[in-house]
Amino acid sequence: MHEARRPNPLFRNLSAKIAAIPMILTALVVFAGGTIWTIIYSFTNSRLLPRENFVGLDQYERLWSSSKWIISIQNLLIYGVCLLVFSLVVGFLLAALLDQKIRFENTFRTIFLYPFALSFIVTGLVWQWILNPQFGVEGIVRSLGWTSFSFDPLYNADIVIYGILIAALWQSTGLIMCLMLAGLRGIDEDIWKAARVDGIPMWKTYAFIVIPMMRPVFITTLVIIASGIVKVYDLVVAQTGGGPGIASEVPAKYVYDAMFLSQNLGQGFAASTMMLLTVLIVLIPWAYLEFGGKKRG
Amino acid sequence: AELEVTHWWTSGGEAAAVAEFAKAFDASGHKWIDGAIAGSGGTARPIMISRITGGDPMGATQFNHGRQAEELVEAGLMRDLTDIAEEGKWREVVHPSSLLDSCTLDGKIYCVPVNIHSQQWLWLSNAAFEKAGVPVPTNWEEYAAAAPALEEAGIIPLAVGQQPWQTTLAFQVLLTAIAGPDAYTKIFGEKDADLAAGEELAKVFEAAAQARSMSAKSNVQDWNQATNMVITGQAAGQIMGDWAQGEFQVAGQVAGKDYTCLPGLGVNEVIMTGGDAFYFPVLDDEEKSAAQADLAKLMLSPEVQVAFNLKKGSLPVRGDVDLEAANDCMKKGLEILAQGNIIQSPDQLMSADSLTQINDLFVEFFNNTSITAEDAQKRFVDLVANAD
Amino acid sequence: MHMMDTSNTPSVAVRGVSLNFGAVEVLKSLDLEVGRGEFLVLLGPSGCGKSTLLNCIAGLLDVSAGQIFINDRNVTWDEPKDRGIGMVFQSYALYPQMTVEGNLSFGLKNARLPKDEIERRIARAAEILQIEPLLKRKPSALSGGQRQRVAIGRALVRDVDVFLFDEPLSNLDAKLRSELRVEIKRLHQKLENTMIYVTHDQIEAMTLADRIAVMRGGIIQQLDTPQAIYSRPVNRFVAGFIGSPGMNFIEGECVAGGSGTFEANGVKVPLDRYEFADGLRAGKAVFGVRPEHVVLGDGAEAMPFQSDLTVEIVEPMGSDSLVWGKFGGQNLSFRIDAERVVAKGDVVRIGFDPGRASIFDAGTDERI
Amino acid sequence: MHMMDTSNTPSVAVRGVSLNFGAVEVLKSLDLEVGRGEFLVLLGPSGCGKSTLLNCIAGLLDVSAGQIFINDRNVTWDEPKDRGIGMVFQSYALYPQMTVEGNLSFGLKNARLPKDEIERRIARAAEILQIEPLLKRKPSALSGGQRQRVAIGRALVRDVDVFLFDEPLSNLDAKLRSELRVEIKRLHQKLENTMIYVTHDQIEAMTLADRIAVMRGGIIQQLDTPQAIYSRPVNRFVAGFIGSPGMNFIEGECVAGGSGTFEANGVKVPLDRYEFADGLRAGKAVFGVRPEHVVLGDGAEAMPFQSDLTVEIVEPMGSDSLVWGKFGGQNLSFRIDAERVVAKGDVVRIGFDPGRASIFDAGTDERI
Amino acid sequence: MADVAIPVSAPAGHADQALAGPSGPRPRKVISRRNIILYGTLFVVAVYYLLPLYVMIVTSLKGMPEIRLGNIFSPPVEITFQPWVKAWAEACTGLNCEGLSRGFWNSVRITVPSVVLSIAIASVNGYALANWRFKGADVFFTILIFGAFIPYQVMLYPIVIMLREIGLYGGLYGLIIVHCIFGMPILTLLFRNYFTSLPEELFKAARVDGAGFWGIYFKIMLPMSLPIFVVAVILQVTGIWNDFLFGVVYTRPDYYPMTVQLNNIVNSVQGVKEYNVNMAATLLTGLVPLIVYFISGKLFVRGIAAGAVKG
Ligand SMILES: Nc1ncnc2c1ncn2[C@@H]1O[C@H](COP(=O)(O)OP(=O)(O)OP(=O)(O)O)[C@@H](O)[C@H]1O
Ligand SMILES: Nc1ncnc2c1ncn2[C@@H]1O[C@H](COP(=O)(O)OP(=O)(O)OP(=O)(O)O)[C@@H](O)[C@H]1O
Ligand SMILES: [Mg+2]
Ligand SMILES: [Mg+2]
């Protein structure tokens, strides 16, 4: 019997590889390529058009000495942490409530999820208006007689980021709730029964048994929320335009403004690079957890 | 030929003004394809730049004239209009001529200025001062002095919308008015850091600090909401461009009787000759190139200038046309223009990048009371020293 | 089988319990009493309501009608934790992020038991189930059998009188299944508490049960000792469900005359040794004989009924072999000793005692 | 056992096949030959690499090293469809959106067979498997047994020489399992093609196989006929894996002297009838005796070795009962006839023939 | 063994016991404390979620004078559909006074092919990743997921250059490609997880049956993937329909989507803000994704469960 030659591994499952070309191109050319391009040009003093005029770390020095950037970073931090915590907590609580075999589950779920279908521009606009001290909540409460009432997050530099948060939560918790609900539905019914027989109160069952079991859902959710946080832009533009002053600036807006308003591409690229760096720091451990060693069994 | 023209003039009056261009252009046998993008230059500009650098340029596009398009010109993406300009004797007709200077790079002309903005105005509510029992001020110092009385009467002395551009505008107006046009030109044009560190500017920053405290209680977003506060007497005054007049007119108020306008804050009556200009990207299509030339000529023709600026509410760039329909305040403006009390807009003097940094400083200063005037001035000096 | 205390009232009593899921009636006015220390197996095909009944007893489902008593106390409305029951699930239902010890102690901590009492109970359970070395591990680091042992431990530490098992061994492979079966049996002998055990594996049912309740469609079809159910099934369903390989069913006719004869495709079986429940009913009937009651060769000679049969398939199973052939035109299987060599195509003499067979009415499927 | 054609080259030959998943070596230079028409069972515990080996043969996994031949053709790098194999999966793997007919014809349509040929083959397969009435149904409307039958049909219509089964019956309940087992056996007798069958159920292995390959950790431990594996396992692992209940292991010592003695806790078993592979090795050893080789009462008297034993547990299984007791201080189980009544605590006399036992080295676990 | 049998019927002694104590289903008060808390919370939260929608609808039905009066929550005294008409057909963008209607068909022309193509590509990617794992696949996938975090603004420029180089800049195709690129990370993740959750044996069976890469994809995988497709469609319709930035940056005005008109209507800074028209325009623009979502909401949750939870 003869030995069969091992065929060139490149040509095995060729169709699969051909079919994956769009993905490979996107990953390599657009995402990796675009990122590298961005990083390279962050070391130039490109203005309106990209130019290979390298200036070392100048752009970064300027970036980190800009108070607008610092505020952007701070805002992103506050916004990110709050959004992460609140949307997870609220999303989970809603999902847990909906999971109680309640009536009208579909109706409630629809209500919680519909904002997700609207764009951030729309969301920002509506909430800008509801939070407007003249027409909105503050105005209404005052007109009801409580004249000292004050609720104008969008006009108060100290809390403006929370005003944006309110709108962001409104828009995104529905999806989180859906994810959580799906996760809850995936939990073995017997676990609940076992906990009941053991006499464990509901909240403890959630806290010590169910939530730890939902780790994969939380990871997916985290990825989705986090990717949204980094990219937050439209909402801020629609709601406050970065104001009052520069109190609600965010990095994505900084990048955009630097590139197109002040026409300093190099500065925009430097800011982008810093953002990408942060993303990498967050993402690499995740990728490691997802793919590192553990293969599908 | 069909020519696509992009711009960000989308509000009612602006659109009507653009329509005058379109009408005249269509009448010349071409076709105007309108590519309006609302928002501000901030939204529209990246789109226009992308289009041009992406290799799919429009036929003509609006830019604030100044240095915004400089690199596009340098990259050879913009059409050289020198021939047309010489043929139309633009150098002679365009007034003030500085407008054309900002369209010029290395002696070649690349854009067509179409109007003049004037933004150095202080609008005051007569009723508010009456209520506070103080005479209507005639200059900034009087105004600032009246602030305590106004506050006592429950009136917000100065209304400022919180969008960054409004703060920036107020600051620039204060600077030109208090430090004077020469200092302004030196600092922005020649980047004179010594001057920026001097006495004159210290006064400007003090005035800005005053304005900051005068406007502490105004919390509106849009400029027209701020104007509305002046109209209703909730606030005593607003620093805003000439377009604010439209609001007073809509509310049925009469200049001099119900409201007062002080160009240059009543201190230095100057007008900043910023404005809009059109650029023409280089096109391969000969027919379209011809249409571009026609459009460029057309935009500066006296008839179109008049029709356009009447609708737009701005001043024409030709000194040889006459605007009869202008109102009182506008006439004041024309007078100043005629006297030649003009300054160039910062766009024309400084790169967008440096300008944004300075504007950011103003915005931050205005919104953060913990920054003292001295601190702000120090930072301002740094920025000016490093500006280009 | 071990002794239980029958002098007392039943340990678990289910009286007239019905349960509906919407329009579907899953349990139909069901009655059941389980004696103290008894090992009762609920046996039946999938979907017959075994788990539902068990969940009702545990208090995990609200009955639609009827009452449930545990140790003489009406617990119909009590919370599961107050019923004095422990439950073991098919999927183990261990809390995955807690150690074995955590799994065992979680319920006790919630009941605010003193610490040393908790430790004592865990130590005892761990000893009984021989899981001491596993106490610090997480369930994911355990094998299936070990997991199920921990699940049993969780019921054990609750120190209750009644254990409920819902197919505890179904997820294990055959080998582990038979091992753990013996362990559960041992556990029962040691603890002497009441156990109600759901399965659809009839081997488990036979080996473990003091009594078996065969269920079908929410109704208990027969409740009796394993031997009684094995040898005198009340209907064809029960007969077919118990025994592996299943009882051989030969369709034919009961013919009156003498003490009766069963006829199928020319084969005639005299029924003089058969005990009829209430007399012979002539007509279409199904004759059932268990594979292990059919004997071959020498043994066959001694049997009241004999016949020839052509071998079609031989399945050696190690200890013995299963032989398949046609009898009255229908499949018949029987066991032979592994030593005896029989090959496909051989014609062999078989025999059985009709007195050990069962005859069912072809219409009602009831035992005649 | 039916006849196989051994004169020819093997139907399937696996030569030196290794397979790694990352750093884990799942198959370790494995060799295996399957004769034409042979029914080979791969038996082993979970995770030992049975499915992996089967997938390599089917071409669903690329081997890391080695060659695979089917009907004398080197198919190591061929596509699965070109290897002349049909495969049946544990989870049935029916295409849920196609009817049964669609499921059967999918492969044939892919091979661009003419329409009437497809119809002919489906009709034949449907007839053999008796699934004609199901042809228009979707898999979701079938019972587990019917699904598995369709899955087999899908292999059948491919008209191939080699059938690969990956635990086809594991998802079925005990009853269906034994029924389908017989059907697969019948099918094999009818088609006379090569079958490689993966299972971890040793009953299936014993009843179906011409030869059994017992695997462990990616290595074939023993490859032989069921009877040989049953009665002369090469090591303790194989011995324990085959047989249900498993072989009884008594740990003790082999003592030289005469033809040797095995001693455990005072019990002495003379080994004069035991056939040593290569002579008695004195030292720690494990004595293994199958439950069915231990006899009770009268039979015991006839046995070369006898002893007394106290009954601990009796498991009635219908046809017979399993009795557990202590022997040499260790657990010993054996089967008794169901008729014989034995109760817990009884002291009974048992006997067995040491010649049928197995002795393993306590260190290497190899048969001595 | 017979002595252990206990009669099935209840002995007489238990007759009275059977009467005593609770029987039948546990009575559950409809207005229990649990229910009050449960439904109360849900109701309050529902109000929070519905409020903006209510404000939008109410405002869009009011005239401007009524809006100036102040209360955004009060229902319209006089219902007028004029804002809707204006938003749809009359609002001006520069010289075009056709309202949103001008962009509607553009949006359709952009959304439909983009959704179809992006889902087609992503599902094939997910399928290739889940079932045909080839060397390096995980690396590409990781980069792809990384791409989900890149702010769009960062990629604006490089993509302009890339599109210019391949000559697709400014047309519809370029825009469709851009939508495919930015939809790819999340969609691929969803599809990959979903296909991974399908039994692998199905895939193996199909390979034995001689189906190739595409055969398995079209005949086996696709028919089983309805829930995840619904999720993908909703995500993409929502995302692409609502997109403003790409639509305007990568195409010509002839292709500008509805959102550009919305932006124009909403963002005309100078002059009085016509809130009622803004709200009507906002609602009109959001209508398509809302409808898609309402129609398939139930499948959405199912699909999410299948595609997001595992993996
Ligand atoms: N929550 C439920 N809602 C509706 N029907 C249900 C529910 N739970 C069970 N059923 C139905 O009740 C019947 C009995 O279910 P049960 O789980 O008690 O069966 P089982 O005998 O335990 O079966 P198995 O052996 O498969 O576990 C089934 O027909 C099932 O479909
Ligand atoms: N795709 C894979 N990646 C990594 N390891 C794998 C993969 N598939 C199988 N394995 C490992 O290979 C070993 C053998 O697996 P295989 O499925 O062949 O076992 P098996 O004998 O069929 O077990 P079972 O009886 O449970 O089906 C196992 O340890 C398993 O964890
Ligand atoms: Mg059940
Ligand atoms: Mg396997």
Side-chain angles (χ1 to χ4, degrees), chain A residues 101 189 193, chain C residues 19-22 24-27 42-55 61 90 166-167 170 198-200 215 217-218:
Chain A
K101 301 204 171 71
E189 189 99 2
K193 292 183 176 175
Chain C
L19 191 134
N20 312 321
F21 284 121
V24 190
E25 201 173 17
V26 175
L27 298 180
L42 293 174
L43 181 67
S46 192
C48 71
K50 307 180 295 292
S51 300
T52 306
L53 175 56
L54 209 66
N55 281 329
L61 283 173
Q90 172 175 358
D166 194 353
E167 309 200 20
S170 297
V198 165
T199 182
H200 55 228
M215 284 183 73

Side-chain angles (χ1 to χ4, degrees), chain C residues 50-93:
Chain C
K50 307 180 295 292
S51 300
T52 306
L53 175 56
L54 209 66
N55 281 329
C56 285
I57 296 173
L60 293 167
L61 283 173
D62 275 1
V63 301
S64 306
Q67 293 175 313
I68 291 166
F69 297 83
I70 293 179
N71 286 339
D72 240 4
R73 200 159 53 84
N74 188 332
V75 296
T76 315
W77 292 354
D78 284 4
E79 274 297 302
K81 68 173 195 307
D82 304 326
R83 294 188 176 204
I85 50 128
M87 193 157 177
V88 180
F89 300 89
Q90 172 175 358
S91 61
Y92 322 130

Side-chain angles (χ1 to χ4, degrees), chain B residues 73-112:
Chain B
V73 173
E74 282 171 3
L77 293 169
M78 290 303 186
R79 177 165 173 186
D80 179 1
L81 301 172
T82 316
D83 300 345
I84 303 165
E86 277 170 6
E87 184 191 322
K89 302 198 168 58
W90 288 4
R91 284 254 160 247
E92 289 150 40
V93 299
V94 173
H95 176 84
S97 60
S98 60
L99 286 177
L100 208 55
D101 293 343
S102 12
C103 281
T104 312
L105 197 79
D106 294 337
K108 289 181 183 149
I109 292 172
Y110 289 94
C111 67
V112 185

Side-chain angles (χ1 to χ4, degrees), chain B residues 2 4 33-35 51 56, chain E residues 102-103 105-107 109-110 170 172 251-257:
Chain B
E2 291 189 349
E4 183 196 336
I33 307 282
D34 195 59
R51 287 282 303 278
D56 180 36
Chain E
R102 174 162 172 252
W105 285 112
N106 281 339
S107 279
R109 278 206 292 169
I110 293 167
L172 207 52
T251 56
R252 255 175 263 129
D254 346 356
Y255 298 125
Y256 281 172

Side-chain angles (χ1 to χ4, degrees), chain A residues 89-243:
Chain A
V89 169
V90 174
F92 184 83
L93 284 180
L94 289 182
L97 288 179
L98 285 190
D99 201 32
Q100 302 302 310
K101 301 204 171 71
I102 57 156
R103 277 142 71 79
F104 314 117
E105 184 195 317
N106 280 338
T107 315
F108 279 118
R109 204 187 48 224
T110 309
I111 291 174
F112 298 152
L113 191 51
Y114 87 89
F116 176 66
L118 301 174
S119 65
F120 269 126
I121 295 279
V122 172
T123 307
L125 205 71
V126 180
W127 280 97
Q128 182 200 58
W129 212 38
I130 292 180
L131 297 178
N132 182 314
Q134 254 180 303
F135 302 116
V137 177
E138 185 181 297
I140 301 304
V141 177
R142 284 192 180 175
S143 73
L144 292 177
W146 184 3
T147 47
S148 65
F149 177 83
S150 164
F151 184 66
D152 56 348
L154 297 190
Y155 295 84
N156 182 339
D158 296 332
I159 56 169
V160 62
I161 198 70
Y162 301 98
I164 292 170
L165 192 68
I166 290 177
L169 281 175
W170 179 78
Q171 212 257 3
S172 61
T173 33
L175 181 68
I176 310 302
M177 176 211 67
C178 253
L179 288 162
M180 296 288 158
L181 192 60
L184 283 175
R185 296 274 149 90
I187 299 246
D188 183 2
E189 189 99 2
D190 284 351
I191 288 278
W192 286 105
K193 292 183 176 175
R196 270 188 79 190
V197 171
D198 265 354
I200 293 157
M202 176 97 91
W203 71 269
K204 270 195 182 171
T205 312
Y206 274 115
F208 296 115
I209 300 169
V210 173
I211 291 180
M213 285 178 80
M214 283 169 59
R215 198 175 144 263
V217 190
F218 275 96
I219 288 177
T220 312
T221 313
L222 229 60
V223 171
I224 290 177
I225 304 179
S227 73
I229 289 172
V230 177
K231 287 195 279 198
V232 63
Y233 169 79
D234 315 30
L235 190 61
V236 175
V237 170
Q239 246 185 309
T240 64

